[in-house]
Amino acid sequence: MPAIVLVGAQWGDEGKGKATDLLGSQIDYVVKFNGGNNAGHTVVVGDQKYALHLLPSGILTPGVTPVIANGVVIDLGVLISELDGLEARGVDTSRLRISANAHVIPPYNTVLDKVTERFLGKRRIGTTGRGIGPTYADKMNRIGIRVQDLYDESILRQKVEAALQGKNQLLLKVYNRRAIEVDEVLAELLEHAERIRPMVTDTVLELGTALDEGRTVLFEAGQATLLDVDHGTYPFVTSSNATAGGACTGSGVPPTRIDRVIGVFKAYTTRVGEGPFPTELDDEHGDHLRTVGAEFGTTTGRPRRCGWADVVIGRYATRVNGLTDVVLTKLDVLTGLEKIPVCVAYDVQGRRVDEMPVGQSDFHHATPVYEELPGWTEDITAARTFEDLPVTARRYVERLEELIGTRISVIGVGPGRDEVIVRHDLLGRDEA
């Protein structure tokens, strides 16, 4: 049985939760391998809508074991709040597994994240202010706090004291803020330790054993390809690896075990936060995409920047992740548009560029080269086969498929879990 990586192929918010839900009945484990509560999934089950920020969306599927792996940074308060919220709605959360090696977001990093971003002013990155970046920095600086540290108070105190020596100097002398006391940090970190203790385990061992036993494991990326700290539009990125390679380092499962990589694209493009965005629309078309597509952040509520589909970044995502399949979401949002432009290349100071520019400056100055495709007016939300779609909608999908270079296996035609068209089996069982 396969190990599958599911990644966002643009700047995030592509609908990875829906793709995970589509696979839900066919998989045994869903693993979150990067990020924290700085992004979210919205999953619609029947007439119920669930907004998940830290938990893997597989927690909503009975029989699936959700895993928060070692590559994730955990805000304990947010985790408990999400668990309580789901349990109040009748969802069984006892199956959750949490890596003992995952790092915890201490309260001082949330404070530093917010004050640093304000201090940057016009040079701000556009972070969510949830302490994600500072916690990953602590991890690399080897002063981080892991879940396992919660169960040895002596070690925990030593680590908090060591971290605060430098951080309090920053707060006091650079940002003119009060110093943070060791005891208040310990109290906040230890508040939820016993609640999650039964869920804490060696997730590397459990996942390896599951694959040895022939179980199907889905690795679910937080954020997306263009937000990857190494391969995204740096410095306007997240602080972790959101591409397929991050599934290995973020979970302890080696690359030789990965069978398929599924990339999720919207039928157009959105972005939250700062940074260049070649196809961004600041006109009535952008308003249409934002309004019809309900483009407001699951976690932050911020309105998303909207633009036409960009196959330059699509080809880049295919190459960086090694995509075997694409899930195309929100095709229905384009209904009613007479013409639908698709960015097929960039103009960079008079030069046509067909692939992602290497230089940050070139990408910043890139303007889109468009190919216009005819739109459609028919309601497509009831379509369940590719042939049910209007001819022009089919041509739009086929042209994207051709330009991206990867087969589009699933098409989302509405927000509901059943509002999809399946062209190819995501587990590859139709390839024989």
Side-chain angles (χ1 to χ4, degrees):
M1 298 299 286
I4 310 156
V5 180
L6 179 71
V7 299
Q10 296 161 313
W11 276 287
D13 309 305
E14 300 92 347
K16 297 182 292 292
K18 183 171 182 176
T20 306
D21 185 56
L22 184 66
L23 287 161
S25 62
Q26 305 170 77
I27 57 180
D28 301 296
Y29 283 78
V30 174
V31 182
K32 180 164 182 166
F33 63 82
N34 77 297
N37 59 305
N38 54 336
H41 299 301
T42 299
V43 181
V44 180
V45 182
D47 60 352
Q48 296 291 308
K49 182 181 287 188
Y50 298 87
L52 305 175
H53 307 280
L54 185 55
L55 292 168
S57 54
I59 200 163
L60 297 173
T61 305
V64 171
T65 301
V67 177
I68 295 177
N70 58 275
V72 178
V73 291
I74 302 172
D75 184 313
L76 295 172
V78 170
L79 175 61
I80 297 303
S81 177
E82 285 198 31
L83 290 172
D84 287 346
L86 290 179
E87 288 170 5
R89 297 173 70 177
V91 178
D92 175 19
T93 65
S94 64
R95 294 165 287 124
L96 179 65
R97 303 288 186 269
I98 302 171
S99 171
N101 289 338
H103 282 244
V104 172
I105 300 175
Y108 48 76
N109 279 346
T110 306
V111 172
L112 277 169
D113 199 2
K114 291 175 180 176
V115 298
T116 302
E117 186 77 348
R118 284 197 291 269
F119 187 78
L120 288 171
K122 290 189 290 186
R123 299 187 305 278
R124 65 189 181 275
I125 301 299
T127 78
T128 57
R130 286 165 167 77
I132 309 294
T135 301
Y136 277 115
D138 284 359
K139 180 178 181 178
M140 295 306 168
N141 286 326
R142 295 167 300 233
I143 58 169
I145 295 168
R146 297 186 293 177
V147 170
Q148 61 179 275
D149 298 329
L150 301 176
Y151 305 105
D152 188 324
E153 192 169 340
S154 174
I155 287 178
L156 180 61
R157 177 175 289 275
Q158 291 174 43
K159 290 192 172 187
V160 170
E161 286 175 346
L164 282 178
Q165 280 183 349
K167 292 177 188 289
N168 273 337
Q169 293 300 309
L170 271 177
L171 287 169
L172 285 166
K173 296 179 180 179
V174 177
Y175 300 120
N176 196 29
R177 299 298 178 109
R178 75 169 182 87
I180 296 174
E181 298 294 331
V182 172
D183 285 341
E184 68 180 276
V185 174
L186 290 176
E188 186 166 330
L189 292 177
L190 292 171
E191 180 182 358
H192 305 298
E194 290 308 310
R195 169 76 181 278
I196 66 168
R197 187 192 282 266
M199 305 171 181
V200 177
T201 188
D202 182 349
T203 55
V204 175
L205 176 61
E206 182 161 350
L207 292 172
T209 302
L211 289 169
D212 289 342
E213 293 173 347
R215 301 183 187 278
T216 301
V217 179
L218 178 69
F219 299 88
E220 178 183 66
Q223 292 79 45
T225 298
L226 275 298
L227 294 176
D228 184 282
V229 68
D230 284 295
H231 304 292
T233 48
Y234 191 91
F236 302 100
V237 293
T238 193
S239 301
S240 61
N241 289 113
T243 41
C248 297
T249 53
S251 71
V253 171
T256 50
R257 304 301 295 264
I258 306 297
D259 297 284
R260 310 195 68 78
V261 182
I262 301 167
V264 186
F265 289 82
K266 274 181 187 163
Y268 48 99
T269 312
T270 64
R271 179 168 195 172
V272 171
E274 306 298 321
F277 181 0
T279 67
E280 184 172 12
L281 297 168
D282 188 20
D283 58 14
E284 69 276 10
H285 294 301
D287 291 339
H288 169 90
L289 297 175
R290 188 176 302 106
T291 302
V292 178
E295 296 297 352
F296 299 90
T298 302
T299 296
T300 63
R302 288 185 289 185
R304 296 175 185 141
R305 301 157 65 189
C306 296
W308 300 122
D310 184 337
V311 298
V312 179
I313 67 172
R315 286 192 293 270
Y316 177 75
T318 294
R319 184 166 60 251
V320 169
N321 292 295
L323 299 183
T324 58
D325 298 87
V326 165
V327 174
L328 185 72
T329 62
K330 292 197 170 184
L331 184 65
D332 54 299
V333 174
L334 301 179
T335 299
L337 298 172
E338 184 179 351
K339 298 287 185 182
I340 307 174
V342 174
C343 174
V344 296
Y346 300 141
D347 183 297
V348 180
Q349 299 180 332
R351 293 182 297 112
R352 180 185 169 110
V353 176
D354 292 294
E355 298 296 342
M356 194 75 174
V358 174
Q360 174 186 339
S361 181
D362 282 351
F363 190 66
H364 177 77
H365 290 104
T367 58
V369 176
Y370 285 120
E371 175 182 311
E372 275 197 346
L373 298 173
W376 60 92
T377 58
E378 299 93 329
D379 181 2
I380 65 171
T381 56
R384 293 297 177 268
T385 69
F386 193 58
E387 292 68 29
D388 290 340
L389 292 174
V391 172
T392 49
R394 296 202 299 270
R395 287 178 181 166
Y396 182 78
V397 172
E398 289 166 345
R399 184 60 176 146
L400 288 184
E401 189 173 55
E402 178 185 359
L403 291 166
I404 291 169
T406 307
R407 70 180 192 179
I408 294 176
S409 299
V410 174
I411 304 164
V413 293
R417 69 188 303 183
D418 60 335
E419 292 178 328
V420 294
I421 294 170
V422 178
R423 299 175 74 203
H424 304 287
D425 181 65
L426 289 176
L427 299 182
R429 294 172 298 193
D430 58 349
E431 294 177 359

